[in-house]
Amino acid sequence: MISTIHPLTKEKLKEQLAVLLAVDAATPGERWTAENFLCDLPDKWELSFFSTNDAQEVSGFVVASSKNESIHIHRLAVGGNFQARGIGKQFVEAVKNKALDRKVRSITLKVATQNASAILFYHKLGFFISGGEGINHCMELKLTD
């Protein structure tokens, strides 16, 4: 099964909102609402992506924005039937490519401290724990020294 990464524009998000909410509902941690998805953030519509499989089913998404001198991943989710197929890695690579094009210093994100599989996933991609915030680890991927 092949997955294709597409830009997540505001129009596409509105069109696929119900499906994105369903994918998100299976993600550990607090649930996102339609308002979370629809809020405007700096460069969000240039830095966010969704994926479809060969049957054009939405398999996942990543929502990111510019934040200080980095790009922050607000949410990354891959539907249960589509996990362990490299889609999450494709999302991080897509965000990383945008970051490198913009000469951004790092990519940051927060992950629930109890979400061991996500922490391991991000570690494998080069992220490290840079701090903590409540029930979340703050993680960072350095792109420049």
Side-chain angles (χ1 to χ4, degrees):
M1 188 177 297
I2 299 170
S3 285
T4 305
I5 304 295
H6 311 275
L8 183 58
T9 63
K10 193 169 195 174
E11 296 74 30
K12 199 49 108 164
L13 185 138
K14 288 178 181 178
E15 178 184 306
Q16 298 291 340
L17 184 57
V19 177
L20 296 173
L21 285 165
V23 170
D24 182 74
T27 302
E30 67 183 86
R31 303 288 176 258
W32 263 28
T33 65
E35 291 77 26
N36 292 119
F37 277 103
L38 291 167
C39 78
D40 285 317
L41 297 166
D43 302 320
K44 175 181 176 179
W45 307 113
E46 293 83 36
L47 298 171
S48 300
F49 301 91
F50 75 104
S51 61
T52 56
N53 65 9
D54 46 2
Q56 296 305 305
E57 298 172 295
V58 173
S59 49
F61 65 88
V62 60
V63 175
S65 70
S66 294
K67 191 173 184 180
N68 300 322
E69 294 182 4
S70 67
I71 291 176
H72 184 75
I73 295 175
H74 297 276
R75 196 72 159 180
L76 188 154
V78 176
N81 296 339
F82 303 103
Q83 291 182 355
R85 297 184 184 180
I87 298 169
K89 182 178 179 180
Q90 284 181 284
F91 284 139
V92 172
E93 287 298 317
V95 172
K96 183 177 176 182
N97 289 337
K98 290 284 189 175
L100 291 171
D101 288 347
R102 293 166 177 246
K103 298 186 177 14
V104 171
R105 291 182 171 185
S106 65
I107 299 171
T108 61
L109 57 87
K110 293 178 189 169
V111 62
T113 56
Q114 295 181 346
N115 193 345
S117 61
I119 294 166
L120 180 60
F121 165 75
Y122 291 120
H123 273 300
K124 286 181 180 179
L125 295 177
F127 285 80
F128 63 92
I129 295 173
S130 59
E133 192 173 288
I135 60 167
N136 295 314
H137 285 308
C138 297
M139 298 188 77
E140 184 174 1
L141 174 64
K142 293 271 190 199
L143 302 175
T144 61
D145 292 330

